[in-house]
Amino acid sequence: MTILSKRLPADERKAMTVATVVQLAAEQNPGEITTTVIAKRMDLTQGALFRHFPCKDAIWQAVMEWVAEDLLGRVDQGAQNAATPLTALEAIFAAHLDFVITYPGVPRILFYELQRAEDTAAKQMVRTLIKRYSERLIILLERGKTQGELALHINVAAAAALFLGMVQGLVMQSLIAGEPGKIDTKAQEVFALYRRSIRSNA
């Protein structure tokens, strides 16, 4: 997608910049995405880009803020539309994988950002995202135990960490294979194992 309009309100221009970075990250190494590359894709000058973002790190922070808002929105929607805590967890799992399939550049940006030695604002945003995501999972897991759907002995913090680890593992394998669109080929079997490990046998 080529950004055509040069006369957009500030909020729309920022949103377009985020969308452009996500698209570029799906096509090339995120470390090679410079402000020059971003501006060229948007058919802008760097000066025009810098009127909305003071530096590249500010753009990366905006990308992470968008990721957090969009992904957590999908998580919340999946949980709200589910009949039980366990079906909510499965819906969230599917929604997260669908997000990655829709935006394959996002995990590449995340892995690139987390490899940087400095503690950037974007990296802090990732930590906040994981914390907020985990809190939602823990609430569902506790609710499942209370309702008798999940085993009383499970450690909910560990179960939440395992849930996130499953998603991250599938994403990593799809990136290594160079086939992010096929991330869901093993998803059902993986979640089935998770379901059996936390479900109540009563």
Side-chain angles (χ1 to χ4, degrees):
M1 176 182 67
T2 302
I3 308 302
L4 298 177
S5 178
K6 294 186 178 182
R7 297 182 178 179
L8 294 173
D11 288 346
E12 289 186 35
R13 175 59 52 75
K14 290 180 180 180
M16 285 291 189
T17 304
V18 168
T20 299
V21 171
V22 171
Q23 183 180 29
L24 285 167
E27 302 168 4
Q28 63 185 84
N29 182 349
E32 298 173 354
I33 301 175
T34 63
T35 53
T36 301
V37 171
I38 297 168
K40 183 178 180 180
R41 175 62 66 90
M42 296 180 69
D43 195 22
L44 297 173
T45 65
Q46 284 196 71
L49 190 61
F50 286 136
R51 280 199 289 272
H52 301 285
F53 298 97
C55 60
K56 181 181 174 181
D57 280 347
I59 297 175
W60 249 236
Q61 181 180 355
V63 170
M64 290 302 102
E65 289 172 351
W66 170 80
V67 169
E69 181 179 355
D70 193 284
L71 181 55
L72 290 177
R74 291 168 184 248
V75 166
D76 291 339
Q77 184 176 9
Q80 290 168 4
N81 295 336
T84 70
L86 190 51
T87 55
L89 289 168
E90 188 167 7
I92 290 170
F93 185 73
H96 194 152
L97 294 182
D98 182 67
F99 175 81
V100 174
I101 292 170
T102 305
Y103 303 108
V106 168
R108 299 181 69 183
I109 294 171
L110 285 170
F111 289 132
Y112 163 74
E113 190 64 32
L114 293 176
Q115 290 179 71
R116 298 177 62 184
E118 61 269 35
D119 190 23
T120 63
K123 188 181 291 188
Q124 294 169 20
M125 190 68 232
V126 174
R127 287 200 297 267
T128 299
L129 167 60
I130 293 173
K131 180 176 182 293
R132 292 169 64 191
Y133 197 145
S134 297
E135 288 169 350
R136 285 162 164 78
L137 295 175
I138 287 171
I139 288 172
L140 281 173
L141 290 161
E142 288 285 11
R143 190 178 300 158
K145 290 173 67 174
T146 300
Q147 295 179 4
E149 186 180 26
L150 304 182
L152 292 175
H153 70 270
I154 64 170
N155 180 312
V156 293
L162 179 58
F163 183 100
L164 291 172
M166 289 190 305
V167 176
Q168 292 164 352
L170 287 169
V171 171
M172 180 65 78
Q173 289 179 51
S174 72
L175 291 177
I176 292 172
E179 298 179 325
K182 295 184 178 180
I183 191 174
D184 58 345
T185 54
K186 299 178 181 177
Q188 290 186 347
E189 291 85 354
V190 169
F191 192 85
L193 286 171
Y194 181 74
R195 184 193 299 114
R196 286 198 292 272
S197 73
I198 64 174
R199 178 184 280 169
S200 172
N201 294 320

